[in-house]
Amino acid sequence: MEINTDEYLQVGAITSTHGIKGEVKVFPTTDDPQRYDYLEEVFLDTGKELMLLHVENVKYFKQFVIVKFKEFKDINEIEPYKGKNLYVDREHAVELEEDEYFVADLIGLKVVTDEGEDFGELTDVLFLPNANDVYVVETKEGKEVLLPVTEECILDIDLDEEVVTVHILDGLLD
C-alpha cells in the first residue's frame, strides 16, 4: 500500500511489543518525540489499509516512545504490527515555523544550482547529532552528493514549484 504523503505524515515505526498488555515500543520519526504527549490518534499502516488507533497512554524509554492504544488489550493483538509505520493526517501535524519543512515534502524535489543548472533530485534528509542536517542529492549522473543545510548552501526551497536552489560550496564535489 502506498501512503499519500500529501495527506499523511509518518510519526513513528513500531519496533517491538512492550510487556504483555498491548503496549508497543515506537521509534519516533519526528523532530519532537514529546509530541506523543499530545497525540490523541494515529493511523497504523497495516499493509492493506490505514487503521485508526486511539492513544491511551505514553511513556518514554531511551530514544523510544512506549505507546498503549485503546484498541489493543494484549500482546497477541498488537504482535502482527511489529515493523509497521504510524501516521498522522496533515490536519493533526505539528505547526511548522518559518523555513521548516516536512521531510515528506522535500523528498523528490528537483535540485538546481544558483547558476541555473539542473543538479539532481533530493532523495533523503539526514539528521546528525551536534551538526547541521544534510540533504542527500542524487545527481543526474547518478552520484550521491551530501549538502549541508546551511544558509550558504541551501538558498531557497519552493514547494509550489518543487525546486530547491543550492549553492555548491568550494570543495563539496571533490
Side-chain angles (χ1 to χ4, degrees), residues 145-157:
V145 175
L146 304 178
L147 301 177
V149 180
T150 62
E151 288 180 8
E152 300 80 33
C153 190
I154 308 301
L155 304 179
D156 184 57
I157 297 173

Side-chain angles (χ1 to χ4, degrees), residues 110-114 153-158 163-167:
K110 179 178 172 182
V111 179
V112 298
T113 68
D114 52 353
C153 190
I154 308 301
L155 304 179
D156 184 57
I157 297 173
D158 187 333
V163 173
V164 179
T165 304
V166 300
H167 173 71

Side-chain angles (χ1 to χ4, degrees), residues 10 12-18 23-29 44 61 63-67 69 78-79 81-86:
Q10 186 178 355
I14 297 174
T15 60
S16 64
T17 56
H18 182 80
E23 291 178 308
V24 289
K25 195 182 289 186
V26 174
F27 180 78
T29 56
L44 171 67
F61 178 72
Q63 78 266 30
F64 296 99
V65 183
I66 309 298
V67 182
F69 297 111
I78 192 72
E79 180 88 30
Y81 302 111
K82 287 193 316 192
K84 301 295 185 184
N85 294 327
L86 300 171

Side-chain angles (χ1 to χ4, degrees), residues 73-137:
K73 302 297 178 222
D74 67 48
I75 188 173
N76 297 321
E77 293 177 353
I78 192 72
E79 180 88 30
Y81 302 111
K82 287 193 316 192
K84 301 295 185 184
N85 294 327
L86 300 171
Y87 295 87
V88 294
D89 57 20
R90 284 195 182 251
E91 182 181 321
H92 294 96
V94 294
E95 297 249 345
L96 296 177
E97 300 290 326
E98 189 175 333
D99 294 329
E100 286 187 332
Y101 304 92
F102 293 117
V103 172
D105 293 338
L106 297 173
I107 303 298
L109 293 183
K110 179 178 172 182
V111 179
V112 298
T113 68
D114 52 353
E115 296 171 353
E117 280 181 47
D118 281 350
F119 188 70
E121 179 180 316
L122 199 150
T123 58
D124 200 1
V125 179
L126 305 177
F127 300 99
L128 305 175
N130 307 320
N132 293 320
D133 294 344
V134 174
Y135 288 171
V136 180
V137 177

